[in-house]
Amino acid sequence: MARSEKVQQTEAIRERLQRSGAIIFTDFRGLNVGEIATLREKLRAAGIEYTVVKNTLLGRAAASLGIEGLDPYLEGPTAAAFSPEDPVAPARILQDYIRAARKLELKGGLVEGRILSADQIKQLADLPTKPELLAKVLGSIVSPLYGLLAVATGLQRNLVYALDQVRQKMEAA
């Protein structure tokens, strides 16, 4: 590859690094072209770009942005999932794919400026989604209100039962 091409590719990777809130590195050995295309489609549907990168160019692009410590994750064939918005989405999609295909391997990643190991990426993937978290918060807010409502109506309900029993006794007498 000519030097000018390397400079252009390094600059393109640098721009992706700047735009992305999360970058997940994977070892794609063992995947055929069709499987990579399927994975790319799943990631693209979530707004994530998945591309094979040269380790040296990625390392240079990261160093130019002041990102240090990626070297252990940049060994062997590397593909990177760049997510500009949701930092959890690429981890979740990749982890689901790994569970189904058992071919892809997580190397590590860079999430909101922090370098994460493969185990930390797996933990990130297991976090509940935003709608699930909102549902839990809403449930914790509404639950005490239901309890309060049950207590408040319970007194009235008991009064009605007592009055009904008094009425039944009066009718029987």
Side-chain angles (χ1 to χ4, degrees):
M1 186 183 309
R3 177 162 167 63
S4 63
E5 289 178 43
K6 288 181 181 179
V7 170
Q8 288 175 343
Q9 285 187 356
T10 303
E11 186 58 33
I13 293 170
R14 185 176 187 273
E15 288 174 14
R16 286 186 196 137
L17 286 171
Q18 283 180 321
R19 286 190 320 235
S20 299
I23 303 103
I24 309 295
F25 307 118
T26 63
D27 184 343
F28 60 92
R29 281 184 275 204
L31 293 177
N32 62 38
V33 175
E35 292 169 331
I36 291 176
T38 301
L39 178 58
R40 277 190 175 136
E41 287 175 19
K42 290 179 182 179
L43 290 165
R44 195 175 301 124
I48 301 163
E49 182 181 355
Y50 187 69
T51 184
V52 174
V53 292
K54 289 197 170 282
N55 293 332
T56 54
L57 299 181
L58 181 59
R60 287 180 189 156
S64 72
L65 293 172
I67 301 168
E68 300 294 328
L70 290 180
D71 294 338
Y73 306 110
L74 301 180
E75 295 178 6
T78 303
F82 297 92
S83 177
E85 296 171 9
D86 187 1
V88 179
R92 185 171 289 116
I93 294 169
L94 289 169
Q95 188 62 29
D96 289 344
Y97 187 82
I98 290 170
R99 287 181 186 133
R102 302 209 182 275
K103 289 186 178 181
L104 192 68
E105 182 180 329
L106 293 175
K107 288 183 168 186
L110 181 67
V111 178
E112 295 182 352
R114 293 186 55 209
I115 296 173
L116 302 178
S117 68
D119 290 335
Q120 291 171 319
I121 298 294
K122 290 175 186 175
Q123 290 174 351
L124 182 66
D126 292 335
L127 288 174
T129 63
K130 187 175 181 178
E132 289 171 345
L133 288 174
L134 289 173
K136 287 181 181 181
V137 168
L138 185 61
S140 65
I141 291 171
V142 171
S143 179
L145 295 176
Y146 279 122
L148 179 64
L149 181 64
V151 168
T153 58
L155 293 173
Q156 295 170 347
R157 189 176 337 113
N158 289 341
L159 177 63
V160 169
Y161 289 145
L163 290 175
D164 188 47
Q165 287 178 353
V166 167
R167 180 189 57 82
Q168 288 175 0
K169 283 184 181 180
M170 293 177 99
E171 286 177 356

